[in-house]
Amino acid sequence: MDLFGSCGIEAVGIAVAVVAVAAGAAYFYLGRKSKGSLDPENFRNFKLVQKKQLSHNVAKFRFALPTPTSVLGLPIGQHISCRGKDNLGEEVIKPYTPTTLDSDIGYFELVIKMYPQGRMSHHFREMKVGDYMSVKGPKGRFKYQVGQVRAFGMIAGGSGITPMFQVTRAILENPKDKTKVQLIYANVTYEDILLKPPESWDGGVGFVSKDMIKTHCPAPAQDIQVLRCGPPPMNKAIAAHLDDLGYTKEMQFQF
């Protein structure tokens, strides 16, 4: 596994965070035949059983599945839709990618960055243990399969780390999966970095540039893919950089 952290949006970046979470896994979920808990057409309610504040505006929410042996049933690389109410009481629906896999039985977790004016952020801020979240899925155009590519380049900003985290965990938990991953993760400040186990980081600072991508992502080839997920301005800038560097549309994917 080849991972590198670099910088972006306007500050620090980190990649090693995605390695540590999978290190203690005693088994991997691939091949487990268990009916998932999601419904792609209808919202289902899941009880909040734990809420842990990770920073001033980020919290981890753990939701119980129907039984202690239930799995969520979310294909790797896809997401769920969560339904809540904003500060005016109006319904809001927003997509999120869990940081858990089907190797985490009986529950799923969401790491949520709550913005001051965010409509769904308000709902998450107000949630208390014992409350229920309405969830529908799976959703999404991306579905990871072992051997899909030789290597992934991943470029994420802010909460855009979650789909990258999910895919990387799946790769790391499967000893038969030899896919390489190289990650550039950007945040406005060091405190904004999500899912980081290390206490220090000596990576670069600045916007994600073409030089960074050229240095730290796999070179254009038919058997690689560069995934990106971040704020719209960042996604637009990264897409332009990738085009200039010779990555075809087939070599790129935006969550």
Side-chain angles (χ1 to χ4, degrees), residues 52-61 110-114 159 191-195:
K52 182 179 180 181
Q53 203 71 27
L54 302 181
S55 73
H56 70 287
N57 64 352
V58 176
K60 180 169 66 176
F61 297 78
L110 298 174
V111 173
I112 304 295
K113 185 170 185 177
M114 290 163 283
S159 56
E191 288 70 27
D192 289 321
I193 298 172
L194 306 181
L195 305 166

Side-chain angles (χ1 to χ4, degrees), residues 40-59:
E41 302 299 329
N42 302 292
F43 282 96
R44 290 184 173 177
N45 292 326
F46 297 92
K47 186 177 182 179
L48 180 65
V49 294
Q50 185 183 86
K51 180 178 179 180
K52 182 179 180 181
Q53 203 71 27
L54 302 181
S55 73
H56 70 287
N57 64 352
V58 176

Side-chain angles (χ1 to χ4, degrees), residues 15-251:
V16 289
V18 292
V19 182
V21 179
Y27 58 91
F28 56 96
Y29 72 95
L30 296 177
R32 174 181 288 143
K33 301 298 182 183
S34 182
K35 189 176 185 300
S37 304
L38 291 169
D39 185 329
E41 302 299 329
N42 302 292
F43 282 96
R44 290 184 173 177
N45 292 326
F46 297 92
K47 186 177 182 179
L48 180 65
V49 294
Q50 185 183 86
K51 180 178 179 180
K52 182 179 180 181
Q53 203 71 27
L54 302 181
S55 73
H56 70 287
N57 64 352
V58 176
K60 180 169 66 176
F61 297 78
R62 175 175 289 196
F63 296 91
L65 294 176
T67 75
T69 58
S70 296
V71 298
L72 185 61
L74 185 71
I76 300 304
Q78 299 208 322
H79 58 268
I80 58 177
S81 295
C82 294
R83 183 176 66 186
K85 291 186 177 181
D86 64 14
N87 63 337
L88 299 177
E90 296 180 355
E91 182 177 284
V92 57
I93 298 172
K94 189 173 179 180
Y96 292 97
T97 304
T99 54
T100 43
L101 303 176
D102 282 357
S103 54
D104 303 300
I105 60 173
Y107 68 93
F108 72 95
E109 291 181 343
L110 298 174
V111 173
I112 304 295
K113 185 170 185 177
M114 290 163 283
Y115 298 91
Q117 306 303 320
R119 297 179 66 203
M120 195 67 190
S121 294
H122 170 81
H123 185 88
F124 277 106
R125 267 196 305 271
E126 296 297 310
M127 284 199 79
K128 297 177 177 61
V129 170
D131 291 345
Y132 286 82
M133 173 66 75
S134 295
V135 174
K136 183 168 68 173
K139 301 283 186 178
R141 298 176 292 118
F142 186 91
K143 187 185 293 186
Y144 178 67
Q145 296 181 354
V146 177
Q148 176 175 325
V149 293
R150 170 179 54 83
F152 281 117
M154 297 181 177
I155 305 174
S159 56
I161 190 63
T162 53
M164 312 302 184
F165 186 90
Q166 183 198 56
V167 172
T168 304
R169 261 201 70 185
I171 292 170
L172 288 169
E173 286 192 8
N174 184 359
K176 295 181 179 179
D177 196 335
K178 306 303 179 185
T179 307
K180 294 194 174 189
V181 175
Q182 294 168 261
L183 170 69
I184 299 173
Y185 181 28
N187 283 281
V188 176
T189 70
Y190 178 81
E191 288 70 27
D192 289 321
I193 298 172
L194 306 181
L195 305 166
K196 61 177 187 293
E199 290 302 318
S200 62
W201 176 249
D202 58 0
V205 174
F207 290 98
V208 176
S209 66
K210 281 191 283 189
D211 285 343
M212 287 181 197
I213 296 171
K214 188 173 182 179
T215 301
H216 302 302
C217 284
Q222 295 304 312
D223 58 354
I224 70 95
Q225 194 169 36
V226 178
L227 312 177
R228 62 179 182 268
C229 187
M234 179 182 177
N235 285 332
K236 184 177 180 180
I238 297 303
H241 290 339
L242 293 173
D243 290 343
D244 290 345
L245 290 169
Y247 293 89
T248 65
K249 296 302 181 186
E250 292 72 27
M251 298 174 198

